[in-house]
Amino acid sequence: MFAVYAASPQPDNPLAALTVGERPTPEAPEGWVSVSVRAASLNMHDLWTLRGVGIKPEQFPMILGCDGAGVLEDGSEVVLHSVIGDPAWSGDETLDPRRTLLTELHQGTFADTVIVPKRNILPKPSSLSFAEAACMGTAWLTAYRMLFVKSGLRPGQTMLVQGASGGVSTALIQLGRAAGYRVWVTGRSEEKRALASSLGAHDVFESGARLPERVDAVFETVGKATWSHSMKALKPGGIIVISGSTSGPDANAELQRLFFLQLRVVGSTMGTRDELADLLKFCALKDIRPQIGLTLPLADAVKGFEAMQAGETAGKIVFTHA
Ligand SMILES: NC(=O)c1ccc[n+]([C@@H]2O[C@H](COP(=O)([O-])OP(=O)(O)OC[C@H]3O[C@@H](n4cnc5c(N)ncnc54)[C@H](OP(=O)(O)O)[C@@H]3O)[C@@H](O)[C@H]2O)c1
């Protein structure tokens, strides 16, 4: 079958590992289903995989793509939950020590067909297109958990999103606005800040800018480049929810500020199947459609990877099947 995959780990030149070609069509074992992929979205995680981060060398070649939407053999339209856990695990799947994300152990969604455990499919809401539904399983689910499970924010409080145009950032802006939070966003260019405003940000700022007042919560995926600003942006007792460190993990911890102002730092990763179901319902109730900046046929996936690597994002990048 047609697939876009990582041939081998390439730590310094990830796109050199990106291969467009043929891979064997997978057969679904007992308890799994075969999904004909209609759309899948690109995540920074796919670039990490090409670099060999979060995946063992023996897992290559690996078909990329952590999330997607498609059709089962009986014609039902589905969205994928890409946290694949131990069948014996009960409770929050993201806390299962044996869980993996699609592409870490099992082949991903940038292909004609993907196989997943039956529990990892949810009905696709009719309100979302396949391309829109394909944004939900990773970036949007991560944003949902950061906002509604981890932050403890109440409507009316102020949130700061570091980064304006990324997949997780745009989801945070759209969801935060719909939930009644005051949404402030930093962005690296005027164009990116304008995008954030168009998606519902109440105010936008240059990266690192002094804010008019301190905020209740900061949402971090950038890491080193924005961390000090995030710590300084918080009210006493405020919270940072972090799910990524795109610019690097080795930030100045600002430990004195942490204890003196009694700040809280909370990690967040992906979300549960139930949280994905609730996210889909929330989007339908609030008529939210994920911001998609670039849609490409899967055969042109390289262009999408190049755009993400260059930081040229304007929301999600989605690959569709003809
Ligand atoms: N833990 C999890 O479950 C989970 C799930 C999803 C994503 N993540 C992580 O979250 C991060 C974002 O993922 P994504 O898919 O949303 O990526 P993306 O679409 O490429 O977005 C990148 C974002 O990072 C910002 N950014 C990058 N470098 C920056 C810098 N030097 N200074 C300021 N801002 C910078 C960009 O801000 P501008 O708009 O201003 O350019 C943009 O908003 C990645 O590290 C990813 O691995 C983690």
Side-chain angles (χ1 to χ4, degrees), residues 43-44 48 138 142 163-169 187-188 192 221-222 225-226 243-247 268-270 308 313:
N43 291 282
M44 188 65 83
W48 298 128
T138 301
T142 300
S165 69
V168 178
S169 296
R188 288 184 290 175
K192 287 166 183 273
T221 59
V222 179
T226 52
S243 70
S245 55
T246 304
S247 62
S268 192
T269 280
M270 299 296 288
M308 179 171 274
T313 45

Side-chain angles (χ1 to χ4, degrees), residues 278-315:
D278 290 343
L279 165 64
L280 296 174
K281 278 183 256 170
F282 187 70
C283 288
L285 281 170
K286 291 284 184 177
D287 198 19
I288 299 172
R289 293 176 176 282
Q291 165 67 20
I292 297 175
L294 182 62
T295 307
L296 294 164
L298 183 59
D300 291 340
V302 177
K303 289 181 194 160
F305 278 84
E306 286 169 348
M308 179 171 274
Q309 194 186 28
E312 291 162 5
T313 45

